[in-house]
């Protein structure tokens, strides 16, 4: 692979600036693709300009001045044979004043707007016109860049790289791409860096041309092969092999006051079968809010314990972890199974006692938060790691817990945020996936209402009536304290107001900055029915199960993501009482906020909501990888390129089946070209 330092035409400052973009070799430079394009292939007369369109105009500066009202600005008028165009600069340098002197002949490019003197351009790009100035033959690319590296220098560097792209060879037979109507890699690179003027700018910017699609296919195929390599590698690793449970699981099921749904039984069998294998299970258990994932995870834990191994259950928040701990205690204590509790907020005495019971093997099940993967935690024989709300942990955190066991433990990941099909095919291709697609009987449907904050008095009255009738309610606020940046309702202020508004009710407050013991006390009081209204931040998004709570009010719902709203809404509707979730919004909703609230209003289907969330926010938030430094797809788009994803999936299977040696030989070099999704 050619390093940039080997290219004589590249200066040290240029190489240093390219390094800031993460570019150190020729392939990286060639794959530094444009953000957008501008059309400088022809000159448009002033009389032919159209409002809202971008165009290139050539003419003479006939007037230029710096004005100070209503604000400081550099104003110039450019004239051609058909009329005049105003150029406006609100931020400018002395050099620009000199360039725009009367008599200067310029070529300008920008978006045409309506101004006081007719058509105008604000901050257009300007080039001096000389005798040798020619019109561009191809569309002009605009690249992502950094301070100190101008577009002209970047275009020149990429032009040199294109002349030396001999090493960018095809790795698959040409017929494969022909069958998919995709051009060659080299042709696609050239066409994307220097596109023909007859190509649609819209198609280029939306990445729907054949050349964009060719590179997107390569990236998706590289990702699919990478996922399958991880899958194959996992199958070659040894793991503890558990026999089916003959005592504990049946004893648990007999003690439960409910029967498993058909969907729960199905996924429980899938997990049980995995645990009997000699390689590590890596299964993602999906289930909408309230579908009963925890009892399925408990059955898996009992299979592990009955075979003499330990289980770790990790949750992202103390509230959720404690919810699991209390459930597991109620289910497993009658079976005489020792459970340990481990969080970062424990006092030293309790923590040391927990660590000792874990290290000795006395604790068969350990429930906790991030504290579980800390270096001081030593398991005697960890056989199964269960991770709830797995997308909230970075990949390295999940790996750290897995490394606590020798041989490698089985891993069960749970998520109440359903994964859209395209996301599952792409980013979870190396996992086995189980879905609980059935809610337990007796759950009441949740009615969702979208209400303007102007009707707050009506909502307060509804809360009063619900609580006085014997039900309970949540009032969710997005912030704990006052923020200058976002003037949103705060939990502290709302709590004080609710106490004044409802003197006849017991009001509780819970938020993330409270001490764990304080949170536990408030939640225990609410769960027991001793308080009727709970004011909370989004810490109650997961892990809170109070069947008597039938009303939820969410302040500033327009500020929250779809999956978060769906999770919060799932805190009600957990009993037989008809439940309602009221989304309070401020007036003047943006189009995006309006569309988001419309989705949550119209659907209780977690998969449909997750699909809409994917379109709005992108995959990084749903996967929990954006904050952990894992790169997302650079070229392909899971919504736009779903047909290419299907083709890449099928192609990966074919290549690995028919050409395993060739894939292994080419994969490292090829994935450095196409881009690799890092997956642990």
């Amino acid at each position: 692979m050619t390093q940039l330092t080997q290219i004589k035409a590249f200066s040290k400052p240029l190489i240093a600036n390219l390094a800031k973009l993460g570019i150190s070799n020729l392939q990286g430079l060639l794959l530094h693709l444009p953000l957008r394009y501008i059309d400088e292939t022809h000159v448009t007369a002033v009389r032919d300009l159209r409002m809202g369109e971008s165009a290139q105009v050539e003419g003479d500066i006939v007037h230029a001045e710096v004005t100070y009202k209503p604000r400081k600005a550099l104003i110039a008028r450019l004239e051609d044979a058909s009329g005049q165009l105003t150029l406006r600069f609100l931020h400018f340098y002395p050099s620009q004043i000199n360039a725009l002197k009367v008599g200067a002949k310029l070529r300008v490019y920008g978006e045409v707007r309506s101004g006081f003197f007719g058509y105008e351009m604000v901050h257009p790009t300007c080039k001096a016109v000389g005798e040798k100035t020619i019109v561009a033959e191809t569309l002009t690319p605009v690249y992502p860049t950094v301070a100190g590296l101008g577009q002209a220098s970047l275009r020149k560097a990429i032009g040199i790289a294109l002349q030396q792209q001999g090493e960018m060879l095809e790795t698959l037979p040409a017929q494969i791409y022909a069958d998919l109507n995709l051009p060659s890699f080299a042709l696609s690179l050239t066409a994307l860096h220097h596109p023909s003027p007859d190509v649609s700018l819209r198609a280029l910017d939306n990445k729907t041309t054949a050349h964009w699609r060719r590179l997107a296919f390569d990236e998706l195929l590289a990702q699919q092969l990478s996922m399958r390599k991880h899958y194959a590698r996992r199958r070659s690793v040894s793991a503890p092999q558990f026999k089916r449970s003959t005592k504990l699981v049946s004893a648990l099921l007999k003690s439960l006051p409910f029967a498993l749904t058909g969907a729960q039984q199905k996924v429980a069998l899938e997990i049980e079968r995995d645990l009997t294998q000699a390689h590590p299970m890596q299964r993602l258990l999906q289930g909408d809010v309230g579908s009963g994932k925890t009892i399925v995870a408990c059955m898996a834990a009992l299979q592990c314990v009955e075979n003499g191994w330990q289980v770790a259950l990790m949750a992202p928040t103390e509230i959720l972890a404690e919810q699991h701990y209390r459930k597991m205690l109620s289910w497993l204590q009658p079976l005489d199974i020792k459970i340990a509790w481990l969080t970062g907020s424990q006092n030293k005495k309790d923590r040391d006692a927990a660590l000792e019971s874990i290290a000795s093997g006395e604790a068969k099940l350990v429930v906790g938060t991030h504290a579980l993967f800390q270096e001081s935690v030593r398991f005697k024989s960890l056989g199964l790691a269960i991770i709830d709300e797995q997308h909230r942990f970075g990949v390295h955190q999940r790996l750290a817990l897995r490394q606590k066991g020798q041989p490698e433990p089985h891993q069960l990941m749970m998520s109440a945020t359903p994964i859209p099909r395209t996301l599952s095919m792409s980013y979870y291709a190396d996992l086995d996936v189980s879905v609980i697609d059935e809610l337990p009987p007796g759950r009441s449907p949740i009615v969702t209402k979208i209400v303007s904050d102007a009707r707050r008095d009506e909502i307060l009255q509804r809360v009063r009536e619900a609580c006085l009738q014997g039900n309970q309610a949540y009032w969710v606020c997005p912030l704990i304290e006052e923020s200058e940046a976002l003037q949103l309702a705060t939990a502290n202020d709302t709590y004080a107001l609710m106490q004044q508004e409802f003197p006849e009710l017991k009001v509780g407050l819970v938020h993330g900055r409270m001490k764990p013991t304080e949170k536990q006390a408030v939640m225990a009081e609410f769960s027991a029915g001793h308080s009727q209204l709970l004011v909370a931040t989004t810490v109650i998004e997961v892990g809170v199960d109070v069947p008597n709570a039938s009303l939820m009010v969410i302040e500033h719902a327009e500020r929250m993501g779809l999956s978060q709203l769906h999770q919060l809404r799932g805190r009600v509707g957990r009993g037989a009482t008809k439940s309602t979730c009221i989304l309070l919004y401020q007036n003047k909703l943006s189009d995006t906020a309006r569309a988001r609230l419309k989705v949550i209003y119209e659907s209780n289907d977690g998969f449909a909501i997750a699909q809409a969330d994917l379109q709005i926010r992108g995959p990084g938030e749903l996967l929990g990888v954006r904050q952990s430094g894992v790169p997302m797809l650079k070229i392909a788009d899971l919504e736009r390129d779903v047909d290419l994803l299907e083709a890449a999936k099928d192609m990966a299977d074919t290549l690995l089946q028919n050409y395993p040696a060739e894939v292994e030989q080419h994969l490292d070099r090829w994935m450095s070209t196409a881009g690799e999704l890092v997956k642990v």
Side-chain angles (χ1 to χ4, degrees), residues 92-295:
F92 53 91
Y93 299 98
S95 59
Q96 288 175 292
I97 298 175
N98 292 331
L100 292 167
K101 285 184 176 178
V102 173
K105 192 172 187 65
L106 298 180
R107 189 175 291 167
V108 300
Y109 184 94
E111 182 182 337
V112 180
R113 303 183 184 183
S114 176
F116 185 77
F117 299 104
Y119 285 151
E120 73 173 25
M121 291 181 180
V122 179
H123 288 283
T125 58
C126 301
K127 297 179 183 176
V129 177
E131 292 181 5
K132 296 183 179 180
T133 302
I134 59 173
V135 175
E137 296 180 356
T138 63
L139 298 176
T140 304
V142 178
Y143 296 98
T145 190
V146 293
L149 181 59
Q151 291 291 329
S153 298
L154 197 46
R155 289 172 191 143
K156 183 178 179 181
I158 291 173
I160 294 171
L162 285 169
Q163 296 171 7
Q164 302 187 30
Q165 63 166 315
E167 64 183 75
M168 305 295 279
L169 303 174
E170 299 286 9
T171 53
L172 300 178
Q175 188 58 45
I176 289 176
Y177 296 108
D179 291 343
L180 294 168
N181 294 317
L182 297 175
S184 73
F185 194 82
L187 179 61
S188 293
L189 274 180
T190 301
L192 290 176
H193 288 299
H194 299 302
S196 168
D198 57 3
V199 179
S200 163
L201 270 174
R202 181 181 295 275
L204 279 170
D205 289 343
N206 292 337
K207 300 183 180 180
T208 55
T209 66
H211 302 298
W212 273 115
R213 284 171 56 78
R214 165 59 210 266
L215 266 60
F217 175 77
D218 281 5
E219 185 177 38
L220 290 168
L221 181 56
Q223 185 195 54
Q224 292 295 311
L225 289 170
S226 175
M227 295 293 98
R228 281 158 178 74
K229 275 194 72 176
H230 283 286
Y231 191 89
R233 188 180 299 126
R234 171 162 56 86
R235 297 240 159 189
S236 68
V237 173
S238 296
Q241 206 168 350
F242 304 144
K243 294 178 181 178
R244 288 181 167 86
S245 170
T246 58
K247 299 177 182 178
L248 294 179
V249 170
S250 59
L252 170 70
L253 295 178
K254 287 178 183 177
S255 70
L256 294 176
F258 56 84
L260 296 184
T261 64
Q264 285 173 313
Q265 294 176 35
K266 174 177 174 290
V267 301
L269 284 173
E270 291 171 348
I271 295 167
E272 180 188 66
R273 193 162 46 244
D274 280 357
L275 294 175
T276 64
Q277 304 300 309
H279 55 263
M281 172 180 74
Q282 283 272 60
R283 186 167 288 276
L284 174 64
L285 174 57
Q286 294 187 77
D288 211 341
V289 177
S291 61
K293 297 180 294 298
T294 308
I295 189 63

Side-chain angles (χ1 to χ4, degrees), residues 452-505:
S452 167
D453 189 66
R455 296 171 57 193
R456 178 178 290 262
D457 288 346
E458 296 176 38
I459 304 306
L460 290 170
Q461 182 57 30
R462 181 155 186 172
V463 170
R464 175 181 284 106
E465 291 172 358
C467 292
L468 291 178
Q469 289 171 6
N471 295 311
Q472 291 167 279
Y474 298 99
W475 193 290
V476 182
C477 308
L479 293 179
I480 298 169
E481 340 181 289
E482 190 63 36
S483 166
E484 293 180 6
L486 295 173
Q487 295 298 316
L488 308 184
T490 65
N492 287 332
D493 288 346
T494 303
Y495 174 61
L497 288 171
M498 294 299 166
Q499 287 180 308
Q500 294 176 15
E501 182 71 28
F502 305 121
E504 69 274 35
L505 302 179

Side-chain angles (χ1 to χ4, degrees), residues 550-580:
S550 61
L551 176 62
M552 173 174 282
V553 180
I554 303 177
E555 294 252 25
H556 294 279
E558 76 277 10
R559 301 271 185 166
M560 298 185 189
L562 281 174
S563 293
Q564 187 177 45
L565 287 172
H566 183 56
Q567 289 272 16
L568 285 167
R569 179 172 60 181
R571 299 310 104 203
V572 293
R574 304 179 84 83
T577 307
K578 181 180 177 181
S579 297
T580 303

Side-chain angles (χ1 to χ4, degrees), residues 286-308:
Q286 294 187 77
D288 211 341
V289 177
S291 61
K293 297 180 294 298
T294 308
I295 189 63
V296 172
C298 185
M299 293 166 65
L302 288 177
Q303 183 179 351
C304 176
V305 169
E306 190 167 323
N307 280 269

Side-chain angles (χ1 to χ4, degrees), residues 309-311 338-340 354 357-358 360-366 379:
W309 293 75
Q310 292 171 290
V311 181
K338 169 79 173 177
I339 304 176
S357 68
I358 295 168
S360 68
E362 179 189 4
K364 299 302 182 185
L365 172 63
V366 185
F379 287 86

Side-chain angles (χ1 to χ4, degrees), residues 590-624:
S590 67
D591 291 341
T592 301
R594 192 180 302 278
R596 191 162 53 229
L597 293 182
K598 185 173 184 286
V599 169
I600 207 79
Y601 171 74
E602 293 179 344
S603 179
N604 275 299
D605 182 342
F607 279 93
I609 291 167
Q611 188 70 33
D613 214 14
L614 173 65
Q615 294 171 355
I616 293 170
R617 294 197 294 164
E621 299 293 342
L622 295 183
L623 288 166

